[in-house]
Amino acid sequence: MNTKTRTLASPGTGPDNEAFIAAAKEGRLMLRHCDDCGKTHWYPRAVCPHCWSSKTQWKPASGRGTVYSWSTMQRVDPPYTLAYVTLAEGPTMLTNLVGAGPYRIGMRVQVLFQPSDDGTPVPVFAAA
Ligand SMILES: [Zn+2]
């Protein structure tokens, strides 16, 4: 069993994501929600990608989702697993699966946060 862990690159912090990062530091996932069409989107944008409204705001998310697809990169050290996770709130995000497998499509997962290379927490998912 490989015990090394892969450190993800920092997303950086700016006016567009400071609320997201602040919540992530407390272990909470935030998603951008549109007050005009009622849809939630990922990645976070100030303008809604569904209806172009600028009436968007951060809302707390459940952190729960299901695996839409995944792929483990075996030929790197340490291996890692990329996945699309469809969140309970609707959007699908590209992320990493961590923790013990085996992974499968439709698997229920829960968000957790890992420190990136500068310490900024980034969301990853593990089996729920
Ligand atoms: Zn909208």
Side-chain angles (χ1 to χ4, degrees):
M1 174 103 194
N2 192 318
T3 55
K4 278 202 254 179
T5 56
R6 174 169 162 259
T7 303
L8 299 170
S10 172
T13 307
D16 289 349
N17 71 352
E18 19 181 58
F20 179 88
I21 301 291
K25 285 179 178 170
E26 298 169 356
R28 296 182 295 114
L29 181 67
M30 300 284 274
L31 293 174
R32 203 79 187 171
H33 179 83
C34 174
D35 289 338
D36 271 338
C37 73
K39 292 182 180 170
T40 300
H41 62 268
W42 179 266
Y43 58 92
R45 279 155 280 189
V47 173
C48 174
H50 303 291
C51 74
W52 308 113
S53 169
S54 57
K55 291 182 189 162
T56 63
Q57 62 171 310
W58 292 106
K59 283 202 172 171
S62 66
R64 290 190 298 271
T66 57
V67 173
Y68 174 79
S69 185
W70 60 273
S71 183
T72 299
M73 310 298 125
Q74 296 284 4
R75 300 185 72 172
V76 290
D77 187 27
Y80 62 94
T81 300
L82 290 176
Y84 279 111
V85 167
T86 302
L87 302 169
E89 290 78 8
T92 297
M93 68 188 281
L94 179 61
T95 183
N96 285 251
L97 293 181
V98 298
Y103 305 128
R104 61 178 176 77
I105 290 169
M107 181 173 85
R108 287 148 63 112
V109 290
Q110 177 72 41
V111 74
L112 53 99
F113 292 88
Q114 272 189 354
S116 61
D117 55 13
D118 71 355
T120 303
V122 291
V124 298
F125 286 79

